[in-house]
Amino acid sequence: MSENFITPGQQRHLRACMVCSIVMTHTRFRQEGCPNCEDFLHLQGSADQIDICTSQVFEGVISLANPARSWVAKWQRLDGYVKGVYAIKVSGQLPDDVRTTLEEEYRIQYIPRDGSVTEAD
């Protein structure tokens, strides 16, 4: 996989993953899938899956060069993910069927990145 960067002029094509909040273009999601969530979201090659599991509406971005050592990554629950550009807040939530699959099949607790639910809830 190539390094995760955003070229100038690509802002209107950006999307953020609703699970990990990584920001990439629609084309990169289609070609490579999500570098953190591909095993269970299966975005690569699926425009429909990209449309329901990513969002064009997000606030702020964080560039992470070393997620394992960054306190910002820990604060945003990004430690353990690949380096790259991440949204601070992603609008929207996963559909119920995708959420159920995550929780039952993959044992992943989904915490929406839109600020509607906090870890303490």
Side-chain angles (χ1 to χ4, degrees), residues 54-120:
T54 66
S55 175
Q56 286 183 300
V57 183
F58 55 89
E59 295 177 24
V61 291
I62 301 167
S63 294
L64 292 178
N66 190 344
R69 296 188 60 206
S70 169
W71 70 268
V72 173
K74 187 172 185 167
W75 181 263
Q76 290 292 123
R77 299 183 325 270
L78 301 173
D79 49 331
Y81 289 157
V82 300
K83 60 184 172 181
V85 178
Y86 290 84
I88 294 172
K89 197 176 196 182
V90 181
S91 294
Q93 292 189 14
L94 289 176
D96 289 337
D97 60 327
V98 176
R99 184 182 310 180
T100 301
T101 302
L102 280 179
E103 293 173 353
E104 292 177 2
E105 199 172 313
Y106 294 97
R107 304 282 187 242
I108 297 171
Q109 180 188 7
Y110 172 63
I111 299 172
R113 296 208 174 253
D114 64 359
S116 65
V117 177
T118 62
E119 269 187 273

